[in-house]
Amino acid sequence: MLIAGLVIAAGCTSADPTGPADAAVEIDDDSPDPRDAGRRAVVVATTGCGSAPGGEGSGVALAPTRILTAAHVVAGATEVTVRLRGEVPIDRSIGTAETTGDAAGPDATPALRTVEATVVAYDTRRDLALLDLDGDGVAAPAGPVPIRDLGTGDAGIIIGAGVSGDIPFTVAERTIIEIDEVRGTDRVRRAGYLLEAATSPGDSGSGLYDGRGYLVGVLFAVSTDNGRRSWATAGDEVDAFITDLDVRGDFACDPDRSRLAPIGP
């Protein structure tokens, strides 16, 4: 599958999503509720590097101080901050979760706090980045985030997207995506999903979950000509990125190239 654009607005492709507009997500009572993932959802904000503009995206906490996001969210950043959400009560009917601050109840204001972050892993081929929080972390559920892959026709929920909140999705096609490298000149290939999902600019970097509570992908693009077509990096790529030592290191703004670059040899 060839995609002509990147970041939060991607060019259209020849593939059209098929399947139900709002697929039901079956929750396994013996597995973690995917709505627990709402506690891991964060907003990632950046200050522009060189001529690159700053902006906002989404992310998911893999651990209290480790945030997974899309590489293009932070690729042109000289500074990165993460806004942490309040607690999210779980509604197993898969309605809209209420985000609360110090007070409980449907009208409570979300408790947000901002923490500085450092990019510690960065992969422009997979469009994934890992951030380390410099302060107090996320009050996330204990234990590692389980990861798996999905196939064509599978359904799930995008949890805590920075603009759109919680969004049901169906995998219209599980495919190999060919796309421009993030802030590079090469064409790259990675496993991904064409989704039927009503996402918005600013949702990039948010996590996709199945009904068993597994992280199954990371959103990276939304079509400009079809409000229900989006793209995500597949769970297999996310799993490989997390264990790939080659993408670890120290990164800083290169103002001449207006993007992050490795520090040192």
Side-chain angles (χ1 to χ4, degrees):
M1 175 182 292
L2 177 68
I3 297 182
L6 187 56
V7 193
I8 41 185
C12 61
T13 71
S14 59
D16 273 323
T18 58
D22 290 298
V25 180
E26 296 183 0
I27 302 302
D28 184 347
D29 288 335
D30 296 326
S31 299
D33 192 313
R35 291 282 178 171
D36 284 333
R39 302 182 199 175
R40 299 184 185 270
V42 303
V43 174
V44 179
T46 65
T47 301
C49 166
S51 61
E56 289 191 351
S58 304
V60 57
L62 299 180
T65 60
R66 283 294 168 94
I67 306 298
L68 176 69
T69 187
H72 74 261
V73 171
V74 297
T78 185
E79 295 179 351
V80 180
T81 58
V82 173
R83 293 207 303 273
L84 309 179
R85 304 175 188 273
E87 292 296 314
V88 180
I90 306 306
D91 179 357
R92 295 190 71 84
S93 68
I94 309 301
T96 300
E98 298 170 357
T99 302
T100 65
D102 295 333
D107 299 323
T109 301
L112 299 179
R113 54 191 174 89
T114 299
V115 180
E116 293 184 355
T118 303
V119 178
V120 295
Y122 178 64
D123 189 333
T124 56
R125 183 187 71 81
R126 296 188 181 106
D127 194 5
L128 294 170
L130 195 63
L131 313 179
D132 186 25
L133 297 185
D134 300 337
D136 293 337
V138 180
V145 178
I147 300 172
R148 64 182 290 259
D149 213 41
L150 292 183
T152 299
D154 289 339
I157 308 172
I158 301 169
I159 297 286
V163 173
S164 304
D166 300 341
I167 314 158
F169 72 83
T170 300
V171 178
E173 184 179 356
R174 205 285 192 187
T175 185
I176 300 298
I177 295 171
E178 182 178 342
I179 196 167
D180 291 335
E181 183 181 16
V182 174
R183 290 191 172 267
T185 57
D186 296 334
R187 297 291 289 179
V188 297
R189 292 165 61 86
R190 66 175 178 268
Y193 314 127
L194 169 61
L195 304 176
E196 184 176 2
T199 62
S200 302
D203 293 337
S204 289
S206 52
L208 282 64
Y209 294 84
D210 69 1
R212 298 165 58 196
Y214 280 74
L215 178 66
V216 295
V218 172
L219 187 72
F220 74 85
V222 55
S223 175
T224 57
D225 71 340
N226 184 327
R228 296 198 61 87
R229 180 185 289 152
S230 304
W231 289 266
T233 300
D236 284 352
E237 297 280 16
V238 175
D239 195 32
F241 166 72
I242 291 171
T243 59
D244 189 353
L245 296 178
D246 290 340
V247 300
R248 299 289 195 275
D250 297 319
F251 304 89
C253 167
D254 180 343
D256 293 333
R257 293 190 293 170
S258 298
R259 65 180 181 182
L260 289 181
I263 300 174

